Amino acid sequence: MPGNDPIDIQAMTDLCTPWCIHVVATLRIADRIAAGTTQVDELAAASGANADSLHRVLRHLVSKGIFEESSPGRFELNEPARSLLESSARWLDLEGIGGRMAHAWGSMLKAVRTGAPAYHEVFGRPFWEDLEAHPDVAASFDELMGPAGHGIPDPEVLVAGGWESVRAVVDVGGGTGALLAEILRAHPGIRGTLVDLPGTVARSGETFHSAGVSDRVTTIGQSFFDPLPPGADLYLLKNLLSDWPDRQAAAILARCAEAARPAGRVVVLGGVSPEGADSSPELLMMVLVGGRGRSLAEFRELARTAGLQVEAAARLPSGRFAVQCRPAS
């Protein structure tokens, strides 16, 4: 619940500061300062910017507590500015997926009025088609979804029951395989299959090679709306269902139920919560693709229509809420 402090609407609607942060992140200003380039004219030359304009942007950020101007035109990192050195800050880059996410907020009014995403009105194509048309942006999206953006995934994903009966895992829509790689590394007796679009799984090789599990992985480049590899013991859906409206989400779950019969399990990580509380990431999914998070009660009904029954739901030691399902008999 909000505290008793008065809400400053003007401060909450300040667009200047966020855009300045996006700009300096895109120009890698923090990295350049860390490398020893501190004078604004040198920073501008190195980043291909106008010196006067960059100076004004940096001075605004200094006034907000980001960066320090130790002498006129010389800038230094402070603790907030150092956070821009972290790889997770790459999502702020306006020339990658960060630019798509930032500009997509401009379509929010249409999305709220219609209940459908208006991303195509900003970028000319729906989100997934836009990524397919721009491999460089798609690669930055994959990076954001992987360890660079979310850290090393926790491989302990089971809510109920152990790994003794698991010999084959299918990661559905698993991106470049970060979670699957950690599961295979933690459980040497398991084989894995990564299912995602061809361009995405093509970028998974380094992930599996670095984890030392390449010999136990099969990659399949296809839509997860098509039939999935059957007969595995465990099907994983991590941060996937909240990307889709109910009809498409149910179709994905139905493919999992179909493939998991008769005795496989389906584990959903992300997109479901006990209360179904809205959050900024879920609103972003609404704007980008028309997706939504779901309460556990809403998910139970969605799973039922897809031929699955929920057998367990709990918060994992990592803090992530997980739901474990079986095909309905």
Side-chain angles (χ1 to χ4, degrees):
M1 295 293 289
N4 295 323
D5 294 335
I7 299 298
D8 186 341
I9 293 295
Q10 186 172 5
M12 293 181 70
T13 55
D14 165 37
L15 297 181
C16 177
T17 304
W19 278 105
C20 286
I21 294 172
H22 274 288
V23 166
V24 298
T26 304
L27 297 176
R28 304 289 191 268
I29 298 302
D31 300 77
R32 300 183 198 282
I33 293 174
T37 303
T38 59
Q39 286 287 356
V40 69
D41 54 345
E42 296 174 354
L43 287 167
S47 59
N50 177 272
D52 178 63
S53 297
L54 178 60
H55 198 179
R56 290 153 69 186
V57 166
L58 286 170
R59 278 188 164 174
H60 173 76
L61 291 176
V62 168
S63 75
K64 297 296 183 179
I66 307 169
F67 297 102
E68 293 178 0
E69 189 171 15
S70 57
S71 61
R74 181 181 295 276
F75 291 89
E76 297 178 0
L77 300 179
N78 57 9
E79 202 58 38
R82 286 190 185 90
S83 67
L84 297 174
L85 298 171
E86 298 172 7
S87 59
S88 58
R90 295 295 179 250
W91 69 272
L92 294 166
D93 187 342
L94 292 170
E95 295 176 339
I97 189 62
R100 294 301 201 268
M101 293 190 297
H103 288 286
W105 287 110
S107 68
M108 189 176 188
L109 178 60
K110 183 71 172 287
V112 171
R113 279 179 167 164
T114 64
Y119 180 97
H120 61 284
E121 294 189 3
V122 179
F123 295 104
R125 298 180 179 89
F127 180 75
W128 301 115
E129 293 178 19
D130 184 39
L131 293 191
E132 188 174 0
H134 297 90
D136 54 335
V137 178
S140 70
F141 177 73
D142 290 340
E143 184 181 6
L144 175 62
M145 294 298 103
H150 288 84
I152 301 298
D154 186 344
E156 298 309 315
V157 299
L158 297 182
V159 181
W163 291 93
E164 299 81 10
S165 63
V166 179
R167 291 293 176 267
V169 177
V170 177
D171 193 350
V172 181
T176 54
L179 175 59
L180 183 58
E182 291 305 311
I183 289 173
L184 297 182
R185 182 153 59 179
H187 303 281
I190 292 176
R191 296 192 61 84
T193 300
L194 175 67
V195 177
D196 213 312
L197 294 176
T200 298
V201 299
R203 293 188 285 271
S204 67
E206 179 57 33
T207 301
F208 296 126
H209 176 74
S210 297
V213 299
S214 298
D215 60 333
R216 291 187 284 129
V217 177
T218 300
T219 60
I220 299 178
Q222 66 162 71
S223 167
F224 35 68
F225 292 106
D226 294 333
L228 298 170
D233 305 298
L234 181 62
Y235 291 80
L236 294 175
L237 298 168
K238 178 177 179 286
N239 295 341
L240 178 61
L241 290 186
S242 59
D243 290 352
W244 300 95
D246 284 347
R247 182 174 64 83
Q248 290 92 334
I252 296 168
L253 289 172
R255 287 301 191 191
C256 291
E258 173 185 80
R261 290 191 178 96
R265 286 179 277 183
V266 178
V267 170
V268 176
L269 301 160
V272 182
S273 65
E275 305 83 15
D278 286 331
S279 64
S280 176
E282 290 178 7
L283 287 175
L284 178 60
M285 288 301 100
M286 178 188 80
V287 169
L288 293 179
V289 292
R292 60 187 298 265
R294 296 169 178 88
S295 68
L296 181 56
E298 291 170 330
F299 177 80
R300 285 184 188 276
E301 180 60 24
L302 191 71
R304 186 190 64 78
T305 65
L308 291 170
Q309 57 187 18
V310 174
E311 66 173 2
R315 202 164 294 281
L316 300 172
S318 64
R320 182 182 295 277
F321 190 76
V323 185
Q324 192 162 300
C325 309
R326 296 245 185 212
S329 55

